[in-house]
Amino acid sequence: MEELIERTVGGRKLYIYLPPSYHQTDHHYPAVYVHDGHYLFSHNLERLKEGYFRQEMKEVIFIGMEPINRLHEYTPWPAASLTPAFPAFKGEGKQYLHEWKHSIKAYMDSNYRTIPDMEETGMLGASLGGLITLFALFTTGNTIGRYGFISPSLWFPDILGYMETQECQIKGKKLYLYVGSEEGKGKTNIQSKMVQAVNEANDILKQKGFLQDNLHFDIQLLANHHREFFIEQFFTAFRWLYRK
């Protein structure tokens, strides 16, 4: 798309979208980092522009990060494959988030007018992208302030136990958590526990101290684990996280 700026940083392709007023002002903007490339926000650009025009939400810089191997980069630790058609998960999430902080975020803060502060820095992802975003909540300290977990793959082995035992900073952070009511239905493996796992994650986050003003949880009826619902919920999540 002509509105997207393509850059390669550390061998990874980035898709950067600058807000409508970027070239008309000298303002600095929140930076929102999105997993799985640009599809979540590029399909929402017209709606975003309308929201900006109505001053319903903050203008931001979006950075879509293309995965090199999402099965490995978006998982926090090694785990067995769900099917013989795919390899086992290597669990390279810590390395991936280290690259994000020290390579991608550093590049954006140096080359674009971002607001580098925690409170204005966001990260959103769907499915495995939601899983690695949640892992970032517990591992990136005071770097990210706004998180969007869209249909996060919280069936992943041991992730709920990890959440229960790990500390995470609450002050200055806002979380949006979503799952569709039909996700996992028809599955015969651990993915069948998708909705239950996300509900349990919401309970854990509340036990950690997140309250209604900084944790929004939504279950959409009749929604399954498909991109059309991810795209819709991305807009809803962003609007809540960056509302004026």
Side-chain angles (χ1 to χ4, degrees):
M1 298 180 62
E2 62 180 16
E3 295 178 283
L4 296 181
I5 301 168
E6 294 188 21
R7 294 287 184 269
T8 300
V9 177
R12 184 181 304 278
K13 184 172 284 189
L14 306 181
Y15 300 91
I16 302 164
Y17 174 74
L18 302 177
S21 67
Y22 188 88
H23 293 297
Q24 282 76 52
T25 73
D26 60 357
H27 296 166
H28 286 67
Y29 297 83
V32 177
Y33 297 87
V34 184
H35 305 292
D36 282 313
H38 62 81
Y39 85 92
L40 285 170
F41 62 85
S42 64
H43 285 82
N44 278 301
L45 291 185
E46 293 307 314
R47 298 175 74 187
L48 289 165
K49 290 176 186 175
E50 182 177 347
Y52 296 155
F53 177 77
R54 296 176 181 272
Q55 297 191 351
E56 296 172 349
M57 59 195 81
K58 296 180 180 181
E59 291 188 54
V60 309
I61 299 171
F62 285 110
I63 306 96
M65 304 177 292
E66 193 72 26
I68 296 172
N69 191 318
R70 69 192 302 273
L71 294 180
H72 305 323
E73 294 174 324
Y74 292 0
T75 48
W77 44 75
S81 173
L82 298 181
T83 170
F86 292 96
F89 303 104
K90 290 185 178 179
E92 298 173 348
K94 284 187 178 179
Q95 300 95 300
Y96 171 70
L97 291 172
H98 183 273
E99 176 195 342
W100 167 77
K101 181 176 180 180
H102 296 282
S103 179
I104 297 171
K105 186 178 188 298
Y107 170 82
M108 291 302 304
D109 291 342
S110 297
N111 291 277
Y112 294 88
R113 298 197 310 274
T114 66
I115 302 174
D117 302 345
M118 179 196 78
E119 288 81 0
E120 298 296 337
T121 300
M123 180 175 283
L124 293 92
S127 193
L128 285 177
L131 172 65
I132 194 63
T133 303
L134 186 136
F135 188 55
L137 173 65
F138 292 89
T139 57
T140 58
N142 60 355
T143 308
I144 305 168
R146 310 195 188 200
Y147 297 79
F149 316 122
I150 301 167
S151 297
S153 299
L154 301 185
W155 47 260
F156 193 80
D158 302 323
I159 187 64
L160 295 176
Y162 173 84
M163 291 177 64
E164 288 182 324
T165 59
Q166 298 298 306
E167 297 293 329
C168 70
Q169 179 178 326
I170 296 172
K171 185 177 180 181
K173 297 192 176 184
K174 293 183 68 175
L175 317 180
Y176 185 95
L177 177 63
Y178 160 84
V179 69
S181 67
E182 305 303 296
E183 296 192 43
K185 288 191 175 180
K187 298 285 187 179
T188 58
N189 57 25
I190 55 176
Q191 290 175 308
S192 65
K193 303 295 186 181
M194 178 74 170
V195 177
Q196 177 184 330
V198 176
N199 267 296
E200 290 182 21
N202 179 57
D203 290 339
I204 293 169
L205 291 169
K206 289 192 293 186
Q207 292 166 10
K208 296 283 183 189
F210 286 99
L211 304 173
Q212 188 172 4
D213 61 341
N214 59 0
L215 170 61
H216 181 91
F217 177 45
D218 187 32
I219 299 178
Q220 183 177 346
L221 296 178
L222 304 180
N224 55 25
H225 199 76
H226 286 170
R227 277 193 172 198
E228 61 183 288
F229 296 109
F230 301 164
I231 292 167
E232 178 70 26
Q233 285 301 316
F234 178 88
F235 179 80
T236 304
F238 174 76
R239 182 174 56 189
W240 188 81
L241 290 169
Y242 283 92
R243 62 190 175 190
K244 283 192 171 181

